[in-house]
Amino acid sequence: MADQKRSHIDLLELRDSLTWQLSETPYSYVIYLKRAQCHGDLGYPDLGAGDAYRALLLIDEISDDSGEYHEQAVETLQNYLARASSIGGYTGRKCEEENDPCEQANDAGQEDSSFLLSPESLTVNNDRLFCFALLSHFLVQCGCLQSAYDFAARGLGYSPSDSRFLNLRSQILETYNTTLLVKNRHYDDCNFSAKTELPEQGYSRRELYPWNHHEPDRFSDESLRSLDGQIKRLAPKCEVRSVELPVLEADSSNTSFKPSTTTRQLGIFATEDIAPHETVLRETSILTANNRLHDPLCDACSAPLPSISSSRHTPLPTCAECDDIIFCSPACHSAATSLYHPAVCGKPELEAVAKDPSPVAATNALYLLLLGRAFALSETQSIHPLDLPEIKYLWGDFMVPPPSSSSPSDPDDHLPSSSTVRTSLPFTFHDNILAPLHLWEKMDLDPFTALARTDTWVTQTLLAKFRAVASARMNPRTGVPE
């Protein structure tokens, strides 16, 4: 193990190596654990939590001989151990009870990308406990204290005297109680209940990841020509231009970060006079979502279906394989058939996903449904979700952290200080990690072999774009998305 922490560049190279290894051995929980720690060292606890949870799922698959991926996970582990035996043993880290999970997460990035765990340390029970410790540690960093507490409690359920989980649980409660005492010096924690009072809403970094090669330059001449061509077909009297706009709200949560006074955006501008009441633009989007289970809405564009009287002599198009899937027009039916519906057709469990949620969960349910539509578009058309034309040019309100204080000869070789990183993307364990996995399960999409499309950073990027351009505001009177 190296004596000094890896540099930023080294960690990025390690991450690329581990991601490539996962493409070759998608059911290796060991590699997921290593990449989780690498993401933690890079300052992405949300991505680390995503990897740690996938590792936990694969460990559970190994223990459950009826699991969907049991055979693949066991075979991968056996091959891993056989490789260990063939090279005569090698060094790795054990998950000893006395080890601090925070120190383990920080030390992980110091190891060589080719290190392998020894057969003696590679026990499913120890590694399951390590998953719990990593998840709790990363979720604390994200601000999801309730889920962090739950994973610490699950760890104690397996190992009641494990100091890692006792320390994590104490840290979570102390942090929360201290925060409440600062807000209210008369706060009394005698009736405190962790299951109901710990906050779950956290935040993660909202930025263009260094390995994201799908994001176009929205302001390049090529992009502007492409977007302008699309707008001309929808609004002949308009064009797309880039424009500098003043920043109306500066980020006051981080006093050390000085945002720009302007932001560059794309806008639609008239190229000729437009008469009063003239229709300027008419667009039907296929990337839509609604969370009303039985409302009479088109499955493709979410527009209200024509009334029975108006369509009496012309039955509305439907899907013969699905219940209650109706389209407002043959055009929408055709678009759905060619663009997204084959990926979800004949899967009735999907129809009720995130539908009719509680008012508290309504907003996040809509974003989950948008994720579902994006992945249906992606799978049907065999296009990466971030390359879909409906998504590619969306603004994501991404933040590029200012450069850290580094040596002149090595300007990019250090991790940015935590004080310069803005965490503005809403994040919870359920909405950002668990719910997408359940969605892919119902779509019969293997999240392990499809890692390039379903990786946590992909869903985080999609959610950043959706939240930047779609408010998901609900009408308080009707409960319908506005």
Side-chain angles (χ1 to χ4, degrees):
M1 183 180 293
D3 293 332
Q4 297 180 346
K5 284 189 175 182
R6 287 182 181 269
S7 68
H8 193 195
I9 292 177
D10 288 340
L11 285 171
L12 289 175
E13 290 177 350
L14 172 59
R15 185 205 170 272
D16 287 345
S17 173
L18 294 172
T19 302
W20 177 84
Q21 292 177 48
L22 284 172
S23 71
E24 297 294 307
T25 52
Y27 301 101
S28 173
Y29 80 78
V30 179
I31 301 177
Y32 268 115
L33 280 176
K34 288 191 281 186
R35 200 178 71 151
Q37 296 164 94
C38 180
H39 277 142
D41 284 345
L42 282 167
Y44 299 110
D46 53 328
L47 306 187
D51 281 349
Y53 189 67
R54 287 181 182 235
L56 180 61
L57 291 178
L58 289 170
I59 289 174
D60 289 342
E61 290 290 317
I62 291 172
S63 304
D64 181 7
D65 56 10
S66 64
E68 182 178 0
Y69 306 112
H70 171 74
E71 293 183 1
Q72 298 96 316
V74 168
E75 181 182 3
T76 300
L77 181 58
Q78 290 173 341
N79 291 339
Y80 194 91
L81 294 177
R83 181 184 173 197
S85 177
S86 68
I87 63 176
Y90 34 76
T91 58
R93 297 184 311 103
K94 283 189 177 182
C95 302
E96 301 294 348
E97 291 188 6
E98 65 268 23
N99 288 345
D100 184 348
C102 302
E103 293 177 358
Q104 291 175 336
N106 289 335
D107 289 345
Q110 302 171 19
E111 299 170 343
D112 186 81
S113 62
S114 62
F115 94 95
L116 299 173
L117 297 175
S118 64
E120 294 78 15
S121 69
L122 198 93
T123 61
V124 168
N125 287 335
N126 276 348
D127 294 332
R128 179 182 285 111
L129 291 176
F130 187 51
C131 286
F132 290 147
L134 278 181
L135 279 162
S136 184
H137 171 62
F138 286 142
L139 291 171
V140 166
Q141 290 186 335
C142 292
C144 307
L145 298 188
Q146 191 174 102
S147 290
Y149 187 92
D150 289 344
F151 280 112
R154 289 176 66 179
L156 288 172
Y158 280 89
S159 181
S161 61
D162 194 320
S163 61
R164 290 174 299 180
F165 303 112
L166 292 172
N167 291 337
L168 277 166
R169 190 173 64 175
S170 298
Q171 174 194 350
I172 293 168
L173 296 179
E174 182 179 354
T175 299
Y176 183 60
N177 288 334
T178 301
T179 301
L180 289 183
L181 283 171
V182 170
K183 294 180 178 179
N184 179 9
R185 60 189 180 90
H186 300 294
Y187 170 71
D188 183 0
D189 64 352
C190 62
N191 295 319
F192 173 78
S193 171
K195 291 186 177 180
T196 58
E197 294 188 42
L198 283 175
E200 178 60 11
Q201 181 62 64
Y203 292 90
S204 58
R205 292 166 66 170
R206 185 180 200 146
E207 62 184 63
L208 287 176
Y209 300 103
W211 53 84
N212 180 0
H213 304 299
H214 300 274
E215 192 71 15
D217 179 356
R218 299 169 66 239
F219 306 107
S220 69
D221 291 340
E222 180 183 359
S223 295
L224 290 174
R225 282 194 300 269
S226 175
L227 291 170
D228 195 51
Q230 297 177 48
I231 286 296
K232 289 294 187 187
R233 293 192 294 271
L234 303 171
K237 294 186 176 182
C238 297
E239 68 178 3
V240 175
R241 298 181 199 164
S242 64
V243 61
E244 292 284 343
L245 298 174
V247 175
L248 300 181
E249 287 188 38
D251 181 11
S252 59
S253 63
N254 190 342
T255 56
S256 66
F257 182 76
K258 304 298 183 183
S260 171
T261 56
T262 63
T263 178
R264 196 178 184 189
Q265 297 289 347
L266 297 177
I268 299 176
F269 294 83
T271 56
E272 54 185 283
D273 291 341
I274 297 174
H277 308 295
E278 179 181 356
T279 299
V280 178
L281 183 150
R282 188 184 300 276
E283 179 186 17
T284 300
S285 175
I286 209 75
L287 183 61
T288 60
N290 76 84
N291 56 13
R292 311 296 293 178
L293 183 56
H294 295 297
D295 276 15
L297 301 173
C298 175
D299 186 74
C301 69
S302 291
L305 295 173
S307 64
I308 295 177
S309 59
S310 64
S311 59
R312 182 179 304 166
H313 303 295
T314 307
L316 294 174
T318 62
C319 174
E321 303 296 327
C322 302
D323 295 330
D324 301 324
I325 298 298
I326 306 174
F327 304 95
C328 65
S329 66
C332 272
H333 178 259
S334 176
T337 302
S338 61
L339 296 178
Y340 77 87
H341 191 65
V344 296
C345 185
K347 299 179 175 70
E349 291 184 354
L350 275 171
E351 295 180 21
V353 169
K355 295 297 180 74
D356 289 341
S358 68
V360 174
T363 295
N364 289 334
L366 279 172
Y367 291 124
L368 177 63
L369 290 170
L370 281 175
L371 274 181
R373 177 59 60 88
F375 281 103
L377 288 162
S378 170
E379 293 303 301
T380 299
Q381 301 176 60
S382 298
I383 300 176
H384 192 281
L386 296 176
D387 288 331
L388 290 167
E390 295 87 355
I391 292 173
K392 187 174 183 178
Y393 296 103
L394 290 181
W395 178 62
D397 192 19
F398 298 118
M399 180 61 63
V400 179
S404 59
S405 56
S406 53
S407 63
S409 61
D410 211 6
D412 299 315
D413 208 25
H414 294 268
L415 292 168
S417 167
S418 59
S419 64
T420 65
V421 175
R422 185 182 72 165
T423 55
S424 63
L425 182 64
F427 181 90
T428 69
F429 172 73
H430 176 272
D431 294 323
N432 296 61
I433 295 177
L434 192 60
L437 283 166
H438 287 170
L439 184 71
W440 299 322
E441 178 186 7
K442 296 181 184 301
M443 290 179 64
D444 296 330
L445 179 61
D446 184 341
F448 301 106
T449 58
L451 179 64
R453 304 188 302 281
T454 64
D455 212 341
T456 306
W457 74 266
V458 176
T459 59
Q460 288 288 84
T461 301
L462 289 170
L463 287 171
K465 292 192 172 199
F466 294 157
R467 287 184 175 273
V469 300
S471 69
R473 183 172 56 246
M474 308 293 291
N475 186 306
R477 182 177 60 84
T478 65
V480 175
E482 296 182 338

